[in-house]
Amino acid sequence: MTEKIDRSFDMELSELGEPDHCFSGSTTDDGIASLDVSQRGTDDDDADGSPGLFAKWIVQQAAATVPHGEEKDEFYYCDEAQVHFTGKRLDGSLFASSREDGVPLTFIIGQDDVMQGFSMAINSMQPGEKAIFTIPSELVGTKSAGCPASIPANIPLDQAVRFDIELISLVTISEIVYNEGILKKTIKHGMGNIKPCGLDEVIVNYNVSLEDGTSVSMSDSVEFNVAKGFFCPAFPIAVKTMREGEEAVLIVKPEYGFGKQGRPSIGNEAAVPPDATLYVYIQLKSYKTVIHIGEGQTIFKKTLRAGEYVGNQGVVRVRLIGKLQDGVVFDQRGHRTDEPFEFVLDEEQVSDGVEEAVLTMQLGEIALFTIAPQYLQDPLVVVPPGSSSVTYEIELVSVVHEKNPRDMSRAEMIETAARKERQADELFRSSKFLRAYRRYYKASAILMARLLEDEIDEEAKQMSVSILFKAAECAIRLRCYQEAKCQCNEILRYDPGNVRARELAQQPFPGDSLGIDTDALYRGLKMPLECKQMKMAELGQKLGQKVYKFTNQKANATYTYHLPQPKVKLGKKMGVMRLMEGHQYSGRKIFVPPMKKPGADVRTDYSPATPATATNNRNNHE
């Protein structure tokens, strides 16, 4: 094994030792380059570090490595790189450098006028990485055959070159409306994976500018409802793609701004000319989730403080305050003493409305609920007559989980499942179909854990079939027909020859009724529908099946799970470049004027999202 060399940009090629990677390039029909990679120390014939090859020597590793394309989503368009570089001929003579004036070079990977080998080199890097490249003469032009490159400048033609490159940042540009209607350049990534939608209320900082940098409107901490929108059509569209804390710059075409009419000046805000492209700095500071839940979607929920996912809820402790429309408190539990109010879920110890509200909550969450009085039949509380609706502020303080089936013995599993089945039968006879369905579901989940053990348990299998039929009947009574079909499909995993289940699964049902909140069937349960069906996929593998499919009608999509196969060693193909993933990118430069962030004298052109070479970009844009 070759001894590792402590490299620097000051070293000659002969001092660098064996390259870490040697590349061979290829081009698709679209003119997009891809790379084959040979790792250091392989037995490839070309991995000898000859100067005429496309080779890479790593000088400094990136602090964190992100695989190519891992963070891309359906809106991915292209990547903007910001680099410091020095370009030399192989004899060591300098022809270009960004370090002479200290201004980094900013460009789009795959941009028409960028040297093809330069784009390919940077595409192999991670932000924070430093590396030395030798690039062969056939890659010193652009991706259009025979066209000389203008980025970097002064590239010598028809000869191999050396580049010392530091990748400062790599910014993703998303096309969140087709045909470049709205482009989004992410300056700072947000937290978590949840994004605002629907009725959610968001708080943003923003600055809207024209192409010449004139600020049209700027505000710090403005709040608006996503469904109702704000300022111009681009705002609600954009925030639906953002995570809390995220900062971005939007490039908005006129049809998503103020169109052909423009907008007159309003107060201290400047006018927007007709057909003007808008440039928007926006930061999603925070947001409150607002949803409708419960039967008929009649319970209104606004999250005041987010919590942490807790999975299967059993015994909960809460603090709650119920108020009438005039603000009079009629229910207060868990506040007057140090001890929160404790109750067992699914045991009818509180009203349906309060229980449904708590089932939507996460540990530590505080939320405000608006509930109609008919859902507040509570043995401990009386709602004054004449109230059209009441509000509850609830904090979920703690949760005690039900015992995990995998921690139970076989006898305990069977007995617990049988007890829940009996309880569900009683609820069914009382026409409490939602509670019955949830209890059947819990019994089924316990038995599934048993069926995923090493041996097939015939008793558990037969119990599961019986319980799943009862759950299907509950779903039909609730007019959740898709859920009924799902239960029948699960029966067919256990018993492929079950005629009754097959007939029921194939029976044409009307569309799902809006009378029941389908999510309520699984709220507070550790294994929601899709998770349970993936577990069924594991069971299917055990029973010899290779592929498992199910349909989520709410998402209008069919999911196919290819069951795990033995791992195979991947070849040396690195795959297509980032720009292949954004193949719809037009190849032009993307201009953004310098803009100030609200409440600060910090211009966005000092961030990775806006080129420091803004003047050069403007000239090319025009």
Side-chain angles (χ1 to χ4, degrees):
M1 182 176 178
T2 307
E3 183 179 352
K4 181 175 177 58
I5 299 174
D6 188 13
R7 302 184 180 122
S8 72
F9 286 150
D10 297 329
M11 298 175 71
E12 300 292 335
L13 289 177
S14 59
E15 301 175 302
L16 295 175
E18 184 180 343
D20 294 289
H21 303 290
C22 288
F23 306 115
S24 59
S26 61
T27 305
T28 69
D29 294 337
D30 296 328
I32 296 171
S34 63
L35 297 175
D36 287 314
V37 183
S38 297
Q39 297 289 339
R40 176 178 176 175
T42 64
D43 55 2
D44 270 28
D45 294 338
D46 294 334
D48 59 2
S50 300
L53 291 176
F54 194 164
K56 174 182 180 180
W57 292 264
I58 297 173
V59 174
Q60 176 182 295
Q61 295 279 2
T65 301
V66 179
H68 290 274
E70 182 166 292
E71 294 187 352
K72 309 308 179 203
D73 57 23
E74 69 271 23
F75 300 115
Y76 175 77
Y77 190 61
C78 59
D79 282 314
E80 181 183 78
Q82 188 178 68
V83 301
H84 267 308
F85 76 96
T86 299
K88 302 176 183 178
R89 299 173 182 84
L90 295 189
D91 62 8
S93 58
L94 180 73
F95 64 84
S97 176
S98 67
R99 296 188 180 276
E100 291 182 342
D101 58 9
V103 178
L105 172 69
T106 303
F107 69 97
I108 304 296
I109 294 181
Q111 194 170 298
D112 286 338
D113 52 355
V114 177
M115 173 183 155
Q116 187 177 16
F118 193 71
S119 275
M120 294 169 75
I122 291 169
N123 189 70
S124 74
M125 301 177 70
Q126 299 287 341
E129 183 179 344
K130 298 179 181 180
I132 297 170
F133 294 87
T134 55
I135 301 177
S137 58
E138 59 267 25
L139 293 176
V140 298
T142 66
K143 63 183 181 182
S144 300
C147 295
S150 59
I151 299 178
N154 304 319
I155 301 171
L157 300 179
D158 301 324
Q159 59 179 284
V161 293
R162 165 181 170 167
F163 278 100
D164 302 347
I165 302 174
E166 176 188 359
L167 179 55
I168 299 170
S169 66
L170 194 66
V171 175
T172 296
I173 300 178
S174 304
E175 184 186 45
I176 58 179
V177 175
Y178 180 70
N179 199 26
E180 298 186 352
I182 304 175
L183 294 180
K184 183 181 83 170
K185 302 175 68 174
T186 302
I187 299 175
K188 178 182 176 183
H189 291 284
M191 302 176 293
N193 295 313
I194 308 300
K195 303 172 185 177
C197 62
L199 299 170
D200 291 354
E201 297 175 355
V202 300
I203 298 176
V204 302
N205 291 342
Y206 75 92
N207 180 15
V208 181
S209 297
L210 302 176
E211 188 172 359
D212 62 3
T214 300
S215 178
V216 172
S217 178
M218 183 188 301
S219 183
D220 187 1
S221 298
V222 65
E223 183 174 5
F224 67 91
N225 181 291
V226 175
K228 294 180 180 178
F230 174 75
F231 191 73
C232 70
F235 270 67
I237 296 172
V239 296
K240 288 180 183 179
T241 70
M242 300 178 72
R243 298 175 174 87
E244 189 169 27
E246 182 176 336
E247 297 179 46
V249 172
L250 310 177
I251 304 170
V252 182
K253 281 190 173 181
E255 53 265 41
Y256 299 98
F258 292 98
K260 295 180 179 180
Q261 293 74 30
R263 192 196 75 161
S265 60
I266 301 175
N268 294 328
E269 296 185 349
V272 177
D275 288 320
T277 296
L278 300 178
Y279 301 87
V280 182
Y281 164 81
I282 185 168
Q283 177 190 21
L284 178 58
K285 294 183 67 175
S286 64
Y287 69 95
K288 299 171 184 175
T289 301
V290 179
I291 58 174
H292 285 99
I293 60 174
E295 186 175 347
Q297 306 284 299
T298 53
I299 299 175
F300 182 82
K301 174 186 178 182
K302 180 190 291 188
T303 300
L304 304 180
R305 185 181 75 189
E308 299 177 1
Y309 176 73
V310 291
N312 190 13
Q313 297 182 11
V315 179
V316 296
R317 304 176 80 205
V318 302
R319 292 190 177 94
L320 59 84
I321 298 177
K323 296 181 180 180
L324 303 177
Q325 286 181 305
D326 59 7
V328 174
V329 175
F330 72 93
D331 185 10
Q332 184 168 329
R333 285 175 270 183
H335 283 277
R336 291 181 181 147
T337 66
D338 293 334
E339 290 298 316
F341 172 61
E342 180 177 294
F343 66 95
V344 182
L345 289 166
D346 261 348
E347 295 293 341
E348 300 183 277
Q349 295 180 0
V350 294
S351 67
D352 290 348
V354 169
E355 181 165 87
E356 185 67 23
V358 173
L359 283 170
T360 68
M361 300 183 70
Q362 298 179 326
L363 184 62
E365 180 180 345
I366 299 176
L368 190 66
F369 298 88
T370 303
I371 308 173
Q374 62 264 35
Y375 301 110
L376 292 172
Q377 304 305 313
D378 193 310
L380 302 177
V381 177
V382 177
V383 180
S387 302
S388 59
S389 65
V390 301
T391 59
Y392 267 94
E393 182 176 308
I394 304 176
E395 177 185 3
L396 180 56
V397 178
S398 65
V399 172
V400 177
H401 301 289
E402 292 187 336
K403 188 173 182 179
N404 191 320
R406 294 187 180 275
D407 296 331
M408 300 178 184
S409 65
R410 179 192 180 280
E412 189 178 3
M413 275 187 180
I414 297 296
E415 171 54 32
T416 303
R419 183 175 68 253
K420 290 188 179 296
E421 182 183 13
R422 292 192 297 270
Q423 293 169 348
D425 291 343
E426 183 62 33
L427 290 166
F428 186 91
R429 285 191 288 269
S430 301
S431 298
K432 297 177 180 178
F433 302 120
L434 176 57
R435 291 186 182 274
Y437 184 93
R438 291 171 55 83
R439 205 64 59 91
Y440 286 133
Y441 180 88
K442 290 180 180 180
S444 173
I446 291 169
L447 294 171
M448 185 185 299
R450 177 63 189 166
L451 291 169
L452 288 172
E453 298 296 330
D454 291 337
E455 72 282 351
I456 296 297
D457 188 317
E458 287 299 327
E459 181 183 6
K461 183 176 174 181
Q462 293 306 314
M463 283 184 67
S464 290
V465 170
S466 172
I467 290 169
L468 289 169
F469 270 125
K470 293 177 180 179
E473 181 61 30
C474 276
I476 291 171
R477 298 294 185 95
L478 292 167
R479 293 179 292 176
C480 293
Y481 305 115
Q482 187 62 38
E483 310 306 315
K485 288 190 176 186
C486 286
Q487 304 307 315
C488 293
N489 286 331
E490 290 191 17
I491 292 171
L492 294 173
R493 302 296 163 189
Y494 295 115
D495 183 6
N498 193 300
V499 176
R500 181 186 169 200
R502 190 168 300 280
E503 290 177 349
L504 193 58
Q506 294 174 351
Q507 181 177 339
F509 285 113
D512 273 5
S513 168
L514 296 178
I516 186 71
D517 175 14
T518 305
D519 291 341
L521 298 174
Y522 305 101
R523 282 204 183 99
L525 301 178
K526 191 170 185 178
M527 193 161 40
L529 176 62
E530 284 135 2
C531 179
K532 182 177 179 182
Q533 289 175 312
M534 283 187 277
K535 290 292 185 184
M536 288 302 299
E538 294 178 28
L539 179 60
Q541 183 185 34
K542 195 172 170 185
L543 297 174
Q545 300 162 4
K546 293 182 178 179
V547 176
Y548 177 67
K549 292 184 179 181
F550 72 90
T551 301
N552 181 330
Q553 187 177 25
K554 189 171 183 179
N556 192 27
T558 297
Y559 299 89
T560 301
Y561 290 94
H562 294 272
L563 301 175
Q565 302 296 321
K567 291 184 178 180
V568 295
K569 186 176 181 180
L570 298 176
K572 298 173 184 176
K573 187 77 173 176
M574 188 173 84
V576 295
M577 297 171 63
R578 291 186 181 94
L579 58 97
M580 182 62 176
E581 299 166 34
H583 63 274
Q584 71 272 35
Y585 166 57
S586 62
R588 69 173 181 85
K589 291 187 176 182
I590 298 175
F591 165 73
V592 174
M595 294 183 292
K596 288 184 178 181
K597 297 182 181 181
D601 289 329
V602 179
R603 297 194 323 187
T604 58
D605 60 330
Y606 292 134
S607 75
T610 305
T613 51
T615 302
N616 182 44
N617 275 0
R618 178 193 291 273
N619 293 336
N620 281 277
H621 177 68
E622 294 170 349

